[in-house]
Amino acid sequence: MLTVYLLIYTPILLFVVAFLMETYLSVVRLFASNRRGSGYVDATWEVTNTLLVFGVVMLLMLFTKSIDVIAAAIFVPTMLAAVGLIARAACYLHIFYVKDTHRIGLVDWVFSGLHLATALLLVTTVLEATRVLITKHPVANTQFVPYFLPGLAFVLLICLVPLVRLYRSKTS
Amino acid sequence: MMRETIHMQSSTEAARVLMGDSLGFHIIFVLFGLTLPVLVSWFELRGILTNNTAYQATARFWSKIMGLLVVAGVISGTIIALQMSLVWPGILKFGGEVIGLPFMFETYAFLIEATFLALYLTTWNKVRPLVHWLFGLMVVVGSTASAYVITSVNAWMNHPTGFDYSAHTISNVHVWHAMFSRTSVVEFVHSMPGYYLTAALIVAGLYAFRLAKQNYHARTSARHSFDRVVIRNLLLFSAAMIVLSGITGDITGKYLARYEPAKLASLELNYNNRDHAPLLVGGVGHDDKSIAAPHFEIPSGLSLLAGNSPSTPVQGINDFPKNQRAPLVIHTFFDLKMTLLDAMVAIVAVSCLLYYVRPKLFLKRAVLYALGIAGVCALGMVELGWMITEIGRQPWAVRGYVTTEQAITQSHTVASLAYVFPLGFLLLISITLVAVRKIIAAEQRRRGGALC
């Protein structure tokens, strides 16, 4: 059972850290000089989102027998966060691909605000899911774990060095 | 009680609209997400092998657009993953023990794709060309694997296998059997050439449109010579994908006749079980077995499609209980899809012919614009194909086991989300298009009008 919780909470924790870093950068760029302000985030965008998908998929797939209860509990905050993610992506594209100037405008403020709102909603999702897991004691699909863990080790072996390199180049 | 039933029906309809809209938008990003890595890798490899910098410049240019589309595609993919699990928990509650693993494996593929894409985009001219190309190849591996496992989940919903079912309980689960079922392979090999074809034709159409805006002298000039090479490459790639789609389409027809006969019966408006069954073109079916609107029949066409022989018996709509019949509207969708296919094949065939036989005629505006239209036809085909698959499974979410109404979430907020998400996707796709246009315009300015 510990493995099950590790599979769910490790990616979610990593996502929260990465997302908070992006949130921090999105706020910092509002008050930074133009040159720094243009350097919010680059290719790690999709990797950060992958961590979210990873955590949510683990939560739902490992507890499919109780998925209706979990889904009902996290439905509203997760769906609102999803709307936030779409709006954030639209702002991102506008700021870094469409807009011609580096001047901070309304969209930049909305972009930053969406980070904060989405982060709050996702934290609510995690807390709500944790509450259900603690109070309802759902049965986990542990039969997947023997298949899943060797694959995870293999994939991490492939991706770890590139990931470290990417996040280090982002912060430098 | 009645109010509860009406609410349930409206929630189900809203959830179907929500999922349908989301998938309709997401599929556009999917086909580019699958095809652009292949095309970019191909151009980069040719550039490395031939030392032709124009190929590498083309790869680099399209990798910029690939990166942009992935930003939007990753978000729409995340939304689909959330909606699939949260709006339709009944599917996973029933079959999570069987199809949970492909969903989990999808995260592997997603991680590989995202990591190596990021690496690919940030290491141009920073690592050896062949190493850089290998990063791109890993993106192809990740995106293709992701497409397979997700297709296998959809295939399982269409034809559930890999378990025994008795007394409302699943037992004797074989996850690998479910993941690598005949249905999964058939769906995958039929959808992939369609995605490749569509994205390649849209890219070719883009080049063609840009060329068509120049005067004839400029179009034939050396400045645009590599634009023409790119169009030729994409046309040949598209022609190969059309042949593959034809072969896999025939396999799919035979598969449907054997394993999903109710869907095939509605698809072809075949009411009765019979041999020498004709293939119906046109017409609109009604529950009273009448066929309205202009139509004609190809004698024994359906029997030939189902089993390569006119004497092959094909099951009819009447063989199935009324509540288990696929909606008849899929026949109209299929006719539309075939019409678009015919138009697209004709345009590609004529374009290929003109390119090699009458190259001057190929560069006429009408031909170039037609090539652009072929991409739109192919996109329509992909969308219709998925509509046929999904609507054709109704009233089931998991065929034979879970109905759509049983699969829906207990949350009452689905109806309002059915309006919010499409608006969000419209906004996302609009900004994506504007951004792509800006990248293209910047590249053209940099290259004096040409794209490469």
Side-chain angles (χ1 to χ4, degrees):
Chain A
M1 203 61 182
L2 179 69
T3 316
V4 168
Y5 285 117
L6 279 175
L7 279 172
I8 295 166
Y9 283 101
T10 309
I12 287 180
L13 199 69
L14 288 172
F15 169 76
V16 168
V17 171
F19 195 82
L20 285 177
M21 195 165 88
E22 289 179 359
T23 305
Y24 167 73
L25 290 173
S26 78
V27 175
V28 163
R29 64 179 293 280
L30 294 175
F31 305 102
S33 66
N34 285 348
R35 198 167 154 272
R36 272 190 71 196
S38 63
Y40 155 71
V41 65
D42 43 44
T44 53
W45 166 281
E46 44 273 10
V47 180
T48 308
N49 275 289
T50 305
L51 291 169
L52 169 67
V53 175
F54 202 108
V56 172
V57 167
M58 286 305 129
L59 170 71
L60 297 170
M61 296 309 142
L62 288 169
F63 292 103
T64 51
K65 286 166 194 156
S66 310
I67 195 171
D68 47 349
V69 180
I70 299 172
I74 66 171
F75 189 85
V76 174
T78 314
M79 283 298 156
L80 288 176
V83 174
L85 287 174
I86 294 186
R88 186 179 74 124
C91 290
Y92 176 83
L93 292 176
H94 179 81
I95 294 167
F96 298 105
Y97 286 93
V98 176
K99 203 169 75 166
D100 287 320
T101 68
H102 288 314
R103 279 183 59 187
I104 299 298
L106 179 66
V107 179
D108 301 80
W109 282 93
V110 172
F111 181 55
S112 191
L114 283 167
H115 273 85
L116 294 168
T118 309
L120 277 175
L121 287 162
L122 289 171
V123 168
T124 310
T125 299
V126 173
L127 292 176
E128 193 60 23
T130 308
R131 185 188 63 77
V132 173
L133 291 183
I134 291 170
T135 56
K136 308 271 179 184
H137 304 292
V139 182
N141 289 320
T142 45
Q143 82 273 15
F144 289 148
V145 176
Y147 298 115
F148 190 73
L149 283 182
L152 183 64
F154 177 67
V155 170
L156 285 180
L157 196 73
I158 296 172
C159 295
L160 206 59
V161 175
L163 276 175
V164 171
R165 189 200 141 103
L166 282 166
Y167 277 95
R168 281 183 65 184
S169 68
K170 178 179 165 180
T171 49
S172 60
Chain B
M1 181 70 184
M2 197 168 165
R3 182 189 279 180
E4 191 67 20
T5 310
I6 291 168
H7 173 77
M8 192 66 203
Q9 279 175 342
S10 65
S11 284
T12 307
E13 291 310 311
R16 288 182 65 194
V17 169
L18 172 66
M19 202 70 212
D21 287 343
S22 299
L23 281 170
F25 283 112
H26 179 58
I27 203 78
I28 298 169
F29 295 116
V30 167
L31 56 93
F32 282 106
L34 287 169
T35 312
L36 285 184
V38 173
L39 295 179
V40 166
S41 286
W42 166 246
F43 283 126
E44 188 178 11
L45 185 64
R46 281 205 75 171
I48 293 169
L49 295 178
T50 60
N51 254 335
N52 185 340
T53 52
Y55 276 111
Q56 275 162 312
T58 306
R60 188 162 189 174
F61 164 60
W62 278 102
S63 73
K64 284 182 207 168
I65 294 179
M66 186 166 81
L68 163 71
L69 291 175
V70 165
V71 168
V74 159
I75 293 300
S76 69
T78 307
I79 307 297
I80 292 291
L82 294 173
Q83 286 182 355
M84 183 74 194
S85 313
L86 299 181
V87 179
W88 306 103
I91 296 171
L92 290 170
K93 190 176 172 71
F94 169 76
E97 291 168 69
V98 191
I99 52 157
L101 200 63
F103 269 117
M104 291 160 90
F105 282 162
E106 209 260 344
T107 59
Y108 291 164
F110 201 11
L111 191 64
I112 291 173
E113 181 188 353
T115 305
F116 282 92
L117 178 73
L119 203 62
Y120 185 81
L121 294 174
T122 52
T123 52
W124 275 101
N125 299 332
K126 288 182 185 167
V127 292
R128 277 187 290 172
L130 206 58
V131 173
H132 188 259
W133 176 76
L134 282 173
F135 291 160
L137 196 64
M138 287 302 289
V139 180
V140 175
V141 170
S143 59
T144 309
S146 174
Y148 181 81
V149 286
I150 286 302
T151 306
S152 78
V153 172
N154 183 269
W156 185 85
M157 289 160 67
N158 287 331
H159 188 67
T161 51
F163 63 94
D164 292 335
Y165 187 70
S166 61
H168 302 289
T169 309
I170 279 182
S171 60
N172 206 14
V173 172
H174 297 284
V175 284
W176 301 113
H177 187 256
M179 216 167 120
F180 295 99
S181 67
R182 187 193 311 268
T183 319
S184 306
V185 176
V186 168
E187 264 196 36
F188 181 72
V189 296
H190 187 51
S191 54
M192 287 300 281
Y195 298 147
Y196 288 154
L197 170 64
T198 304
L201 275 179
I202 290 174
V203 174
L206 189 91
Y207 277 86
F209 261 79
R210 293 275 152 180
L211 262 186
K213 281 187 176 175
Q214 314 284 326
N215 62 45
Y216 186 77
H217 180 70
R219 270 177 259 155
T220 52
S221 68
R223 196 173 62 182
H224 288 286
S225 62
F226 202 75
D227 285 348
R228 297 194 295 274
V229 171
V230 172
I231 292 177
R232 183 192 65 201
N233 274 279
L234 293 171
L235 265 178
L236 291 177
F237 180 78
S238 303
M241 290 306 119
I242 287 173
V243 173
L244 258 179
S245 291
I247 295 167
T248 57
D250 183 61
I251 294 169
T252 304
K254 288 170 177 53
Y255 162 82
L256 286 176
R258 192 161 174 192
Y259 298 99
E260 295 184 49
K263 189 185 281 182
L264 185 68
S266 291
L267 203 60
E268 295 297 345
L269 289 187
N270 179 39
Y271 285 98
N272 299 310
N273 188 338
R274 54 182 162 166
D275 51 26
H276 293 86
L279 192 72
L280 184 80
V281 180
V284 176
H286 294 292
D287 287 336
D288 63 0
K289 302 184 196 175
S290 64
I291 297 173
H295 61 276
F296 65 92
E297 292 179 345
I298 300 170
S300 301
L302 186 55
S303 287
L304 279 167
L305 181 78
N308 287 337
S309 160
S311 56
T312 305
V314 184
Q315 283 185 273
I317 295 167
N318 293 334
D319 292 344
F320 305 95
K322 274 191 176 171
N323 63 352
Q324 291 182 22
R325 292 174 186 173
L328 299 181
V329 71
I330 61 173
H331 172 72
T332 307
F333 292 157
F334 188 64
D335 275 346
L336 276 172
K337 185 182 168 185
M338 289 299 112
T339 307
L340 292 174
L341 172 77
D342 292 343
M344 187 262 301
V345 170
I347 293 169
V348 172
V350 170
S351 300
C352 281
L353 196 70
L354 289 178
Y355 190 94
Y356 286 102
V357 180
R358 302 285 298 274
K360 283 185 179 173
L361 209 56
F362 174 79
L363 290 172
K364 292 280 181 194
R365 277 208 174 96
V367 179
L368 293 172
Y369 281 136
L371 201 50
I373 291 165
V376 179
C377 291
L379 182 61
M381 277 173 54
V382 170
E383 294 279 5
L384 284 164
W386 275 108
M387 285 165 76
I388 291 165
T389 303
E390 295 306 295
I391 296 172
R393 194 179 54 243
Q394 299 307 314
W396 301 104
V398 180
R399 193 164 64 89
Y401 295 97
V402 184
T403 63
T404 309
E405 285 191 1
Q406 288 168 339
I408 196 175
T409 177
Q410 297 159 4
S411 177
H412 298 306
T413 44
V414 179
S416 43
L417 291 171
Y419 299 101
V420 177
F421 276 101
L423 288 175
F425 275 119
L426 263 180
L427 175 73
L428 187 63
I429 217 159
S430 306
I431 292 187
T432 307
L433 284 175
V434 174
V436 168
R437 220 179 141 182
K438 280 205 85 164
I439 293 178
I440 291 170
E443 187 74 7
Q444 272 195 308
R445 271 199 306 277
R446 210 163 64 82
R447 296 183 176 277
L451 263 178
C452 305

